[in-house]
Amino acid sequence: MRHLVGLGLVSLVYFVVWFATSKPIGYAPLFWLLTFSLGFKILRMLHEWYHYVNVTEPLPPVAQVPQFTVDILTTFCPGEPHAMVVQTLEAMQAVTYPHTSYLCDEGNDPYLRAVCERLGVVHVTREIKVNAKAGNINHALEQATGDLCVVLDPDHVPTPDFLDHVVPYFADASVGYVQVVQAYGNQQESLVARGAAEQTYHFYGPLMMGMNSYNTAQAIGANCTFRRAALDSIGGHAAGLTEDMHTAMRLHAAGWQSVYVPRILSRGLVPSTLGAFYSQQLKWARGAFELLFEVYPRLFTQFSWRQRLHYAILPLYFLSGLITLIDLAVPIYSLAFSVYPWHISLPAFVLHLTPLLGIGLLIRYKAQSWLRDPSERGLHLAGGILRVGTWWVYLLGLVYTFLRVRVPYIPTPKEGNYRNEFRICLPNILVIVACAVAVKYAGYVDWSPYSRLMAFLATCNAGILMAAVVMGQHVWARNLMQDMGSEFMIAILSPMVRVVRTMNARIQSVAAFVAAGSVALVAFTDVAMHVHAESIYPEVYTWLLNGGDKLRVGTQFTTLPEKLPVQFTAGSDSKLLAYVSSEEAPDVAALNVTKEVPTATIMALQKQGTAPLLTWQAGTSAASWRAMAVALQHIDKPVLLRPLIQASSPEAYRISWQAITQEFKAAKATKVLWVWTPPTTASVQAYFPGKALVNWVAVPCSVEAGSAKDAGTAYETYRHQFATSMALHDKPIMLLLQDVVPENKQVVQRVAQRYPEVKAILFPAPTREDMAPLLTNTKKSLLLSAFTK
């Protein structure tokens, strides 16, 4: 496991360094929201890995264990099933280690009082009911006198040898409590029960075993055995919605040790309906946030540094409600307003994220060897779907904490009402509808590659929420499960199940090899692509291949200016089209070629890192094509060439373009990148020369004089036609602005937010001497480098 986690850390650094240096900011509000979501997920993953490499299983003391007096307590609240409580009481009495059993009865129920008398259980009730479960237990402890006390939930049935596996650890006088696994026996009752149980498997397996290594094993509301002296030292059970975690925090702060015994010594009931599960999760979320914001600061100085980290991170599980809201809202907002959070190369993103995801899954898979029951292994899809569908409940717990809204302590319902739960699913249903409307709307107004990615994410979100809604429709789900259990379906699915099991066994055996191989393969691919690009184009020009990850800014020169601030270095009399230094050079400089090719000017531009864009009236003469190709064949750095062709028909246009490109290929002018401008706004695809013969698409645009309004008035006409052509989807777009306006900075920002496929925008050259230079984006913040006056 340590080797796998090491590889995971390498892949994480590999991704984070790339992401931090790729300048991916698109529409800033959405960018920071998604980055926060991504950071939270990485933190959660690191938190799990930290526990995986610290997994320990405690060994009981080998010395003589002193005899302890023990009290076993369980509780009852009016409305809970009598049969369930009686079963637990009978199991408590069957525990073989000498003890005294107590029922803490909040309802003073006559029937249970008679059962206690029959079984020999001490029946305790109270008149003043304060502090809910904690107060009920503390009231019973006023009568109990044992050295140890076991707290059981009324739905948890202990095994006869329960105390035999727990008591020995108290031979160490510093141990304040011992917790065992909280397992369940009703996972098969419903899809909700299955999902709720799956969410606990890793917590009671490798996570709690890791907590055991640095004295932060959590006390859970059931199956926890306390040293009475430890409880008395903190004033008894701590009150609150999450009284178990509160009690553990106070015991750790007081210096007591905790032990986690990874044994299943009882089985209880997990919520089996959405109503019961949501009620439980709201109570836990509200209680956990209250501990984080109110109790944790008061106890901070009394914790060890590892305990401080633990109690700061553990409650953040319930922050997943806010994170899921971000993940749901960002694609919807992006599709509705045609703005995109990340302006990065999608293939590059996948390339760098794949090792992290792959190794993360392998680590998670390998950690399943620490699950407490072999039946717990698997994909745990039901648990994941249920967690996503509970986002609004977790979010409500966070909001209630800030608004200090009181949530009553109500025991989790133990008997399911197995009807279709539709109303409680309304928040998820509304989000599903919003996702569908946003995807449909984007299909009409903006079907670019980025919007398609957002539509894919929105569709996935809607699918997961739909599955969460279906989990609550118990009648439908039960009918479906009955159909799946028919002999016909079993005959169909059995071979598939056997294949999956075989694959699981093989994957387990080669997990480390696959993990190491994935890192090596992706790293090799990344380096190979970089080396290949560098062998063709210098690093400063690699963005010309696919547009890069940000918006470039350039200048259009109709004629070469006679006077410029900087002259080229000695050895050339060419004028340098830059201002002050190469840091202030435009990314692209557009020149009109009328007669001779300005090779000296092209070389001067390339020396300072500016890509030349030559606009050329190609005509119909093959000799003129050949002369241009010969003039460019000795240029050793890339040149953008934009031929303007006059043709009588789309077919003739395409034939001419193909002939021009063949002429350059024959002349071995290999550094030319072809920039295509549709000759008409109508029938764009009819004039398109072909995907292999075009590197960029340049579109002339206008901006309203004196304003910074959308620079896409003319581009929109082209854009809708580009969206219908798969060949044009991966071509970077260049906007050639026709107006000189002072608000270039605002224009750049507007274009970057609305049109992520636009990778370059070229402004007309300044015509007033007092206009500030147009700065490059190379080492400046994205979109903040254009002149403002």
Side-chain angles (χ1 to χ4, degrees), residues 266-551:
S266 78
R267 287 192 181 272
L269 301 178
V270 72
S272 56
T273 65
L274 280 182
F277 181 76
Y278 287 171
S279 174
Q280 179 196 71
Q281 298 300 305
L282 177 60
K283 180 176 65 176
W284 288 358
R286 176 68 174 88
F289 285 130
E290 185 174 33
L291 293 180
L292 177 63
F293 297 136
E294 296 185 15
V295 176
Y296 176 74
R298 295 199 298 267
L299 300 178
F300 181 81
T301 58
Q302 302 175 50
F303 291 136
S304 68
W305 72 267
R306 298 178 82 176
Q307 289 172 340
R308 293 171 185 173
L309 185 65
H310 171 80
Y311 282 115
I313 295 178
L314 193 63
L316 296 183
Y317 170 84
F318 298 102
L319 197 64
S320 60
L322 176 62
I323 300 303
T324 303
L325 175 62
I326 292 173
D327 294 342
L328 296 173
V330 166
I332 294 174
Y333 186 94
S334 176
L335 293 170
F337 295 95
S338 298
V339 291
Y340 306 99
W342 293 343
H343 289 175
I344 56 179
S345 169
L346 298 182
F349 183 79
V350 172
L351 179 68
H352 289 81
L353 186 60
T354 296
L356 181 59
L357 292 179
I359 296 175
L361 290 173
L362 287 172
I363 292 174
R364 180 91 172 177
Y365 184 85
K366 192 71 174 177
Q368 291 197 7
S369 61
W370 289 309
L371 298 184
R372 297 298 85 201
D373 192 314
S375 65
E376 295 177 354
R377 299 182 182 183
L379 297 178
H380 302 162
L381 292 179
I385 292 170
L386 187 61
R387 181 186 58 80
V388 173
T390 314
W391 66 272
W392 63 273
V393 178
Y394 296 146
L395 187 62
L396 200 60
L398 179 62
V399 173
Y400 280 2
T401 302
F402 288 136
L403 299 181
R404 305 187 71 84
V405 176
R406 181 176 176 273
V407 174
Y409 189 103
I410 301 175
T412 303
K414 304 301 189 301
E415 287 184 325
N417 186 1
Y418 296 108
R419 295 180 296 182
N420 289 336
E421 298 178 279
F422 184 80
R423 290 184 180 179
I424 204 170
C425 297
L426 284 179
N428 288 332
I429 293 173
L430 291 176
V431 175
I432 293 170
V433 173
C435 289
V437 171
V439 171
K440 190 68 174 178
Y441 175 75
Y444 285 111
V445 300
D446 176 19
W447 205 230
S448 64
Y450 282 87
S451 66
R452 292 193 175 195
L453 173 62
M454 291 294 109
F456 172 76
L457 295 178
T459 303
C460 289
N461 290 338
I464 294 173
L465 292 181
M466 180 62 72
V469 170
V470 171
M471 290 178 71
Q473 313 315 308
H474 303 288
V475 176
W476 301 343
R478 185 164 56 247
N479 292 338
L480 176 62
M481 296 304 294
Q482 289 176 352
D483 293 340
M484 296 295 291
S486 66
E487 293 184 4
F488 175 74
M489 292 303 299
I490 290 176
I492 295 177
L493 296 177
S494 293
M496 298 175 60
V497 171
R498 286 194 296 269
V499 169
V500 170
R501 288 176 178 172
T502 302
M503 292 176 61
N504 283 343
R506 292 180 178 178
I507 291 174
Q508 175 99 10
S509 63
V510 299
F513 174 78
V514 172
S518 67
V519 174
L521 178 62
V522 174
F524 174 79
T525 303
D526 198 19
V527 171
M529 292 175 63
H530 179 75
V531 170
H532 176 69
E534 282 293 298
S535 67
I536 302 176
Y537 302 109
E539 182 179 1
V540 71
Y541 290 124
T542 54
W543 64 274
L544 292 171
L545 296 176
N546 56 15
D549 298 334
K550 62 182 180 180
L551 180 62

Side-chain angles (χ1 to χ4, degrees), residues 176-260:
Y177 65 88
V178 176
Q179 177 67 54
V180 301
V181 176
Q182 183 161 307
Y184 304 98
N186 66 327
Q187 296 98 315
Q188 305 304 322
E189 282 190 11
S190 68
L191 292 174
V192 173
R194 181 68 185 178
E198 287 181 354
Q199 291 182 9
T200 69
Y201 292 163
H202 266 79
F203 182 81
Y204 291 110
L207 292 185
M208 281 282 273
M209 294 173 73
M211 294 176 199
N212 190 72
S213 68
Y214 58 100
N215 191 33
T216 58
Q218 285 302 286
I220 309 302
N223 309 324
C224 191
T225 305
F226 296 91
R227 187 187 297 273
R228 181 63 184 271
L231 282 180
D232 291 344
S233 71
I234 62 170
H237 267 76
L241 292 173
T242 48
E243 82 293 333
D244 45 7
M245 183 177 175
H246 191 184
T247 302
M249 292 176 71
R250 291 194 176 278
L251 287 172
H252 284 140
W256 292 97
Q257 299 292 308
S258 59
V259 175
Y260 178 64

Side-chain angles (χ1 to χ4, degrees), residues 25 38 116 142 151 154 199 206 247 310 411 491 650 662 684 711 749:
I25 301 177
L38 179 63
C116 289
E142 294 176 0
V151 178
Q199 291 182 9
T247 302
H310 171 80
Q662 286 297 324
V684 168
Q749 291 174 334

Side-chain angles (χ1 to χ4, degrees), residues 57-63 65 164-172 259 261 263:
E57 186 167 353
L59 297 175
V62 295
V65 178
D164 298 331
H165 297 284
V166 170
V167 169
Y169 294 97
F170 287 97
D172 183 348
V259 175
V261 178
R263 285 178 173 270

